Amino acid sequence: MLPTPENLAAAGKQAAARIEAAITAGTQAGTQQVMASVQESTRQLTAAAAALTKAAESVPRSVPVDFLQGWRWPTGLALGPVLLVLLGLWIGGAFSGVSQVKYDSQRAVAQELADERNFYQTQIDAFGKDMKSNPETRKVVKSYFPKYVPLPPAEAK
């Protein structure tokens, strides 16, 4: 038997109703899946926020600093080179109580005495060579001409 337009219309309405019911059911299932996923994400986010808050609360807001602990090493590092420079200056005579003018005059006197010593020592050595000396004459020369050592100058006041 051939379908009539009324049968076709009824069958179309039934098919459309089934399709709409399937779409509604599929949409509801998809919506439920999406809602479950959103709820799980929200739960995980809430748990992570709670863990982060707990961790942030466990961090101390201030740390007590003991300034005297370990002070030797940085102090030595800071003062060591300064003390070495001061020691070098002290050895070099930068902290001497003698004025520069007095030092220069004493240095000139010392140079004159050194020149005088060198002059006499040269003469003694020349005399010893001119004598064609033997060990006996060298003893005599040394007894008459001991090594020249000038007396220290009297301190000027």
Side-chain angles (χ1 to χ4, degrees):
M1 156 162 166
L2 289 173
T4 61
E6 291 85 26
N7 288 344
L8 287 175
K13 285 182 184 178
Q14 286 177 356
R18 281 190 217 135
I19 291 172
E20 284 180 12
I23 289 174
T24 304
T27 305
Q28 286 176 350
T31 304
Q32 288 173 356
Q33 285 179 341
V34 169
M35 286 302 290
S37 175
V38 167
Q39 287 174 351
E40 179 62 23
S41 297
T42 304
R43 186 194 63 74
Q44 288 176 357
L45 183 63
T46 305
L52 182 63
T53 302
K54 184 177 180 184
E57 288 173 356
S58 69
V59 174
R61 295 292 175 223
S62 65
V63 177
V65 178
D66 184 6
F67 290 104
L68 297 179
Q69 179 182 2
W71 63 271
R72 289 182 182 98
W73 185 82
T75 303
L77 185 65
L79 294 181
V82 172
L83 292 176
L84 284 175
V85 168
L86 289 175
L87 179 67
L89 289 172
W90 177 67
I91 289 172
F95 302 117
S96 173
V98 178
S99 69
Q100 188 66 36
V101 174
K102 188 173 181 181
Y103 174 77
D104 290 340
S105 67
Q106 289 177 351
R107 186 80 173 146
V109 169
Q111 185 61 42
E112 288 173 10
L113 290 173
D115 292 343
E116 183 180 354
R117 179 197 65 219
N118 292 340
F119 171 75
Y120 287 123
Q121 192 64 46
T122 304
Q123 283 191 347
I124 292 169
D125 292 341
F127 177 76
K129 287 180 184 174
D130 288 344
M131 292 288 294
K132 308 266 191 261
S133 64
N134 55 31
E136 246 180 61
T137 57
R138 275 189 231 124
K139 280 185 186 176
V140 171
V141 168
K142 284 187 181 180
S143 67
Y144 286 121
F145 300 108
K147 286 284 186 187
Y148 176 75
V149 179
L151 293 175
E155 289 202 20
K157 292 184 182 182

